[in-house]
């Protein structure tokens, strides 16, 4: 086996899942994560369909994820008085297993920590490749050599920037911004969520951690804004400007926002790249092919990508040229299908015009009585299952 020592940037979903499978196939993974420690909580993500579940089952983490699942039921669209107008089935948002991203990262970390070196609070500053490997410099850790480097560092991937160029070339803004933070469950929501939609805006609350808290979610339509990603007061000012006087719980949630422990604000975007590998560096998960936070597909795509990338490296006995090409062949159509879902959901969840918003609010009301009532959930399931996974397990036991 060649290229045993693999550095992964990012310890969320794709990174630890990749480390898990690399170790199973005989590689030695190291993970560098910018955050000083595992980031708990966060928003809900989900897995759906047999492709996702079979990988989680083979990793031995399915039972842990089921224990930590959110247990969310149906969600409702409400009017300005908070009265439910239409109910969306749980399957549409929660898939087969819905879990907070931080809880998922914790389960994956626990499944890998014994055989993976984790370096928290650090980031790669340069990658210099030669015939035998890559010299990596970090913000804090002294320079080290690795055989391969994999970027699993999300939508704003540092590895992608260092290897392929500035993110403007690859990150496509879908015309929306998203904010999310933890707040009190002051509506007393019981494993459910309420969403209030107007033209170009959606504000929602869903209960979390078995109703002990709630997540406040905001989406609004906007062209790309010139914002500093680390300037939280600036982002909060933009959100306040967009939603003050917007109705329903908007003003209350904007007040809560000022004390939120975990304010998140970002563009709703996709990553589109012609290739996911250059030399000894490759990308996986959102870094390679983010389908957008609205697609409901990102965590599953990250998991499947990690499984396939590690498997192809093992199948090629560590030959990265062969493995990276095979990884792209196996994954490309699947990732594109997930991105298509992301495009569609963005347009339907936060329609730009008042007419379309009013039409959809009415349509959702009668949807449960229409023959195509499960269409959106079925489409999501189809996209999630649209891959035939190779069984790489014989390589693991060799
Ligand atoms: C609000 C919101 C709602 C979402 N809802 C859903 C959903 O319902 N269903 C679903 O499937 N998906 C959902 N997603 C998407 C899902 O969270 C992502 O697709 C998934 O987490 C991708 O995993 P990843 O490991 O590729 O990247 P990420 O989860 O983005 O992780 C990247 C990791 O890299 C780290 N990192 C960043 N920069 C550096 C650096 N310089 N050096 C080292 N480490 C670095 C980060 O700290 C992070 O730990 C949602 C996303 C958002 C934002």
């Amino acid at each position: 086996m060649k290229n045993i020592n693999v550095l992964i940037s990012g310890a969320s979903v794709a990174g630890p899942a990749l480390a898990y499978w690399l170790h199973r196939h005989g590689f030695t993974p190291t993970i560098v994560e910018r955050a000083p420690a595992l980031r708990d909580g966060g928003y809900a993500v989900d897995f759906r369909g047999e492709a996702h579940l079979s990988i989680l089952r083979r990793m031995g983490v399915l039972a842990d994820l089921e224990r930590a699942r959110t247990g969310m039921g149906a969600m409702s669209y409400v009017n300005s008085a908070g009265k439910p107008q239409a109910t969306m089935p749980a399957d549409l948002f929660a898939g087969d297993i819905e879990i907070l991203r931080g809880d998922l990262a914790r389960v994956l970390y626990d499944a890998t920590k014994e055989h993976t070196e984790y370096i928290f609070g650090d980031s790669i500053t340069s990658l210099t490749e030669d015939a035998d490997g890559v010299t990596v410099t970090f913000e804090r850790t002294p320079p080290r050599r690795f055989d391969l480097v994999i970027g699993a560092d999300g939508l704003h991937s540092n590895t992608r920037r260092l290897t392929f160029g500035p993110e403007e070339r690859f990150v496509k803004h879908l015309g929306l911004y998203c904010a999310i933070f933890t707040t009190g469950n002051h509506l007393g929501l019981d494993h459910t969520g309420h969403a209030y939609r107007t033209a170009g805006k959606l504000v929602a609350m869903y209960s979390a951690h078995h109703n002990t808290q709630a997540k406040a979610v905001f989406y609004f339509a906007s062209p790309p804004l010139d914002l500093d990603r680390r300037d939280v007061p600036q982002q909060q000012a933009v959100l306040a400007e967009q939603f003050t006087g917007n109705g329903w719980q908007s003003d209350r949630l904007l007040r809560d926002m000022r004390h939120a422990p975990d304010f998140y604000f970002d563009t709703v975007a996709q990553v589109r790249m012609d290739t996911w590998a250059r030399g000894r560096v490759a990308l996986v998960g959102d870094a390679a092919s983010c389908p957008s936070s609205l697609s409901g597909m990102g965590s599953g795509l990250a998991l499947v990508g990690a499984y396939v990338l590690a498997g192809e490296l093992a199948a090629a006995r560590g030959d990265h040229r062969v493995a990276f090409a095979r990884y792209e062949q196996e994954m490309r159509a699947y990732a594109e299908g997930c991105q298509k879902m992301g495009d569609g959901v963005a347009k339907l969840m936060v329609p730009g015009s008042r007419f379309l918003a009013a039409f959809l609010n009415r349509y959702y009301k009668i949807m449960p009585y229409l023959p195509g009532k499960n269409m959106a959930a079925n489409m999501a399931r189809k996209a999630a299952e649209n891959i035939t996974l190779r069984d790489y397990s014989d390589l693991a036991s060799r």
Side-chain angles (χ1 to χ4, degrees):
M1 186 90 91
K2 302 202 285 190
N3 295 327
I4 295 288
N5 288 312
V6 182
L7 175 67
I8 301 165
S9 175
S12 175
V13 183
L18 179 66
Y20 176 88
W21 286 106
L22 284 175
H23 170 75
R24 277 273 292 261
H25 295 311
F27 294 86
T28 307
T30 299
I31 295 188
V32 57
E33 163 61 48
R34 190 184 55 195
L38 272 192
R39 292 176 304 135
D40 281 325
Y43 43 84
V45 299
D46 55 279
F47 295 106
R48 66 185 73 217
E50 196 42 35
H52 299 174
L53 296 184
S54 69
I55 296 174
L56 296 169
R57 203 174 292 122
R58 286 181 230 180
M59 291 172 75
V61 297
L62 195 52
D64 291 332
L65 296 184
E66 276 173 349
R67 265 192 295 280
R69 68 196 303 167
T70 61
M72 292 294 277
M75 312 272 273
S76 297
Y77 281 100
V78 297
N79 64 15
S80 58
K83 194 162 171 249
Q85 302 294 295
T87 301
M88 309 302 286
D91 185 27
L92 182 58
F93 294 101
D96 291 317
I97 293 189
E98 189 188 55
I99 181 167
L100 295 184
R101 194 210 56 85
D103 294 344
L104 169 62
R106 168 76 54 192
V107 168
L108 296 178
Y109 172 75
D110 286 343
T112 51
K113 63 185 177 197
E114 264 157 41
H115 49 74
T116 301
E117 180 192 1
Y118 275 87
I119 305 169
F120 283 101
D122 210 347
S123 175
I124 299 170
T125 50
S126 75
L127 297 164
T128 310
E129 182 173 334
D130 55 46
D132 304 322
V134 188
T135 301
V136 183
T137 61
F138 299 89
E139 283 174 6
R140 291 163 199 271
T141 308
R144 282 173 63 172
R145 289 277 293 172
F146 291 92
D147 298 321
L148 303 173
V149 176
I150 311 294
D153 38 11
L155 175 62
H156 303 291
S157 169
N158 180 45
T159 313
R160 189 183 60 225
R161 183 179 55 78
L162 291 170
T163 310
F164 295 86
E167 77 170 43
E168 296 75 50
R169 283 196 216 156
F170 310 110
V171 174
K172 184 183 172 239
H173 178 64
L174 295 188
L176 296 173
Y177 278 84
C178 167
I180 183 162
F181 55 85
T182 301
T183 183
N185 184 7
H186 64 264
L187 292 181
L189 298 170
D190 182 6
H191 293 94
T192 187
H194 285 179
Y196 174 62
R197 177 166 55 187
T198 48
K201 291 190 173 64
L202 183 139
V203 53
M205 259 181 85
Y206 62 87
S207 61
H209 277 136
H210 301 292
N211 306 331
T212 56
Q213 52 178 227
K215 304 288 172 183
V217 187
F218 295 79
Y219 284 100
F220 65 93
S222 164
L225 300 170
D226 186 18
L227 295 175
D228 179 345
R229 280 203 301 115
R230 300 193 201 287
D231 189 343
V232 170
Q234 185 192 32
Q235 296 162 358
Q236 293 190 340
V238 169
L239 205 63
E241 194 182 305
Q242 287 283 340
F243 284 91
T244 299
N246 176 63
W248 187 54
Q249 294 291 318
S250 304
D251 290 345
R252 160 84 199 246
L253 294 176
L254 288 175
R255 280 198 300 279
D256 294 352
M257 166 183 84
R258 309 281 172 200
H259 318 287
D262 54 357
F263 181 78
Y264 166 95
F265 182 99
D266 208 342
T267 161
V268 175
Q270 294 188 336
V271 173
R272 306 253 179 96
M273 303 184 75
D274 293 336
T275 177
W276 298 327
R278 182 168 287 173
R280 292 176 171 272
V281 181
L283 304 173
V284 67
D286 273 8
S289 55
C290 175
S292 101
S293 54
L294 264 180
S295 67
M297 292 284 146
S299 47
L301 182 54
L303 178 78
V304 173
Y307 172 82
V308 172
L309 177 54
E312 292 300 337
L313 274 165
R317 313 282 313 148
D319 183 334
H320 62 285
R321 285 184 200 86
V322 175
F324 290 168
R326 290 276 311 149
Y327 156 63
E328 289 211 25
Q329 273 168 25
E330 293 285 312
M331 286 298 296
R332 186 56 74 172
Y334 184 64
E336 283 170 5
C338 294
Q339 293 200 323
K340 231 181 227 166
M341 280 297 299
D343 261 341
V345 176
K347 286 184 190 112
L348 282 179
M349 253 180 86
V350 194
S353 79
R354 196 180 298 182
F355 170 76
L356 192 54
F359 170 78
L360 284 172
N361 285 344
R362 286 213 184 95
Y363 172 72
Y364 286 169
K365 216 171 188 172
I366 55 167
M367 201 173 73
Y369 311 103
L370 298 178
K373 62 182 177 186
N374 293 323
M375 193 172 70
N378 289 344
M379 277 169 66
R381 191 165 289 277
K382 212 166 150 197
E385 290 185 334
N386 186 29
I387 189 165
T388 307
L389 294 174
R390 280 184 72 188
D391 184 357
Y392 303 101
S393 58
D394 57 329
L395 302 164
S397 57
R398 256 188 244 154

